[in-house]
Amino acid sequence: MNLVPMSEILNEANKKGYAVGGFNINNLEFLQGIIEAAEEVKAPLILQTSEGAMKYIGRYYVTGMVEAATRDIEIPVALHLDHGGSFEKAMECIRLGYSSVMFDGSHYSFEKNIELTKKVVEAAHSVGVSVEAELGQLGGTEDDITVEEEDATFTKPEEAVEFVDRTGVDALAVAIGTAHGVYEGDPELDFERLSEINEKTEVPLVLHGASGVTDNDVRKAVTLGINKVNVNTNFQQAFSAKVRELMDNDPELYDPRKYCGPGREAIKEKVKEKIDVLGSGNKAVN
Ligand code: G3H
Ligand code: ZN
């Protein structure tokens, strides 16, 4: 696959003050919509699969599709495991050819999260693969995993410094008030906390659960140090809304190309909107 390590993409974004999309793929149409949009606006791109999406698509289909999608690509693309739950899963993805993995130990104790993350970092770095980790815990639902609001915890700036120092991670996901999936109300982001974490650490910071955050808040988070913004739910919504509209308008519709194609276009438009908010358009030009 024609991929670059995620750290190459994010270190550049960190230096220049913009954010790159960590965009989740769930099937072929997601991959095509996302990659076509990023190419058209010349934005560096981080394609990512959750463990659930890998299972749904099939791991060799993921790498086969990404191999095809990146064959003649001119933008830098990383393939990243999103919310990897174990050392073994991270190693599986590295063997498959992913250029980046997330180890999400956010539900473990601080010490256990450090111990497990460090182990992944040592193995991944020895073969040039980047690692993202998470400290603090987001609420909401992704795949089959739900974290209740009362169990969500914000990232502590002092702990972030120690965590980055002791693990050597390439990117750190912070919990500052966002949640995965569909929100019940408007999220209130703790910008002061984000700014403090950014001042105290050098590492690119990642915003998860960005679908329910307003464009203005995402822009503000980027100015305060976020360099990677994860989006999945908004693309799922865009695809499904288009398919639903077409099905509702024509109950006789049966050819999947006639609704999946427009669904793919809807994702592509949404991706372009996101890239515009993140400021990564035209950043893939030398
Ligand atoms: O890791 C993936 C993202 O955090 C997904 O967030 O559900 O708001 O799209 P989202
Ligand atoms: Zn996430």
Side-chain angles (χ1 to χ4, degrees), residues 5-14 20 22 46 48 78 80-83 99-105 113 117-118 120-121 124-125 129-136 155 160-161 163-165 167-175 197-198 201-208 225-230:
M6 184 174 71
S7 58
E8 249 176 53
I9 293 175
L10 289 186
N11 291 342
E12 195 63 15
N14 195 13
V20 176
I46 298 161
Q48 49 191 32
H80 174 73
L81 167 66
D82 188 28
H83 293 285
S99 62
S100 180
V101 291
M102 176 182 190
F103 174 70
D104 181 357
N113 192 358
T117 302
K118 200 168 168 215
V120 174
V121 170
H125 281 185
V129 170
S130 316
V131 180
E132 174 185 337
E134 180 168 327
L135 187 62
T155 310
V161 177
F163 187 89
V164 171
D165 274 3
T167 58
V169 283
D170 302 286
L172 182 69
V174 291
I197 298 169
N198 187 41
T201 58
E202 299 279 302
V203 80
L205 302 176
V206 185
L207 188 70
H208 280 246
I226 291 292
N227 297 121
K228 174 175 182 260
V229 173
N230 283 10

Side-chain angles (χ1 to χ4, degrees), residues 11-25:
N11 291 342
E12 195 63 15
N14 195 13
K15 244 192 284 166
K16 300 194 173 143
Y18 60 89
V20 176
F23 295 150
N24 287 67
I25 57 173

Side-chain angles (χ1 to χ4, degrees), residues 49-167:
T49 56
S50 65
E51 289 195 20
M54 276 183 86
K55 205 164 159 194
Y56 173 78
I57 301 169
R59 55 188 179 159
Y60 297 120
Y61 284 98
V62 171
T63 50
M65 287 192 317
V66 173
E67 152 76 33
T70 54
R71 189 157 282 225
D72 299 314
I73 207 86
E74 287 185 3
I75 52 170
V77 177
L79 177 61
H80 174 73
L81 167 66
D82 188 28
H83 293 285
S86 64
F87 177 81
E88 290 71 25
K89 195 73 197 176
M91 296 310 113
E92 178 192 331
C93 288
I94 292 172
R95 274 186 230 108
L96 283 167
Y98 280 55
S99 62
S100 180
V101 291
M102 176 182 190
F103 174 70
D104 181 357
S106 59
H107 51 291
Y108 290 113
S109 70
F110 182 62
E111 284 301 326
K112 189 83 188 161
N113 192 358
I114 288 181
E115 181 195 321
L116 296 173
T117 302
K118 200 168 168 215
K119 199 173 152 199
V120 174
V121 170
E122 280 166 2
H125 281 185
S126 71
V127 288
V129 170
S130 316
V131 180
E132 174 185 337
E134 180 168 327
L135 187 62
Q137 203 176 11
L138 265 74
T141 301
E142 186 164 49
D143 286 345
D144 302 330
I145 301 158
T146 297
V147 177
E148 298 302 336
E149 239 14 85
E150 57 270 26
D151 296 325
T153 48
F154 282 21
T155 310
K156 297 185 182 74
E158 294 304 336
E159 284 192 353
V161 177
E162 190 180 338
F163 187 89
V164 171
D165 274 3
R166 288 175 60 192
T167 58

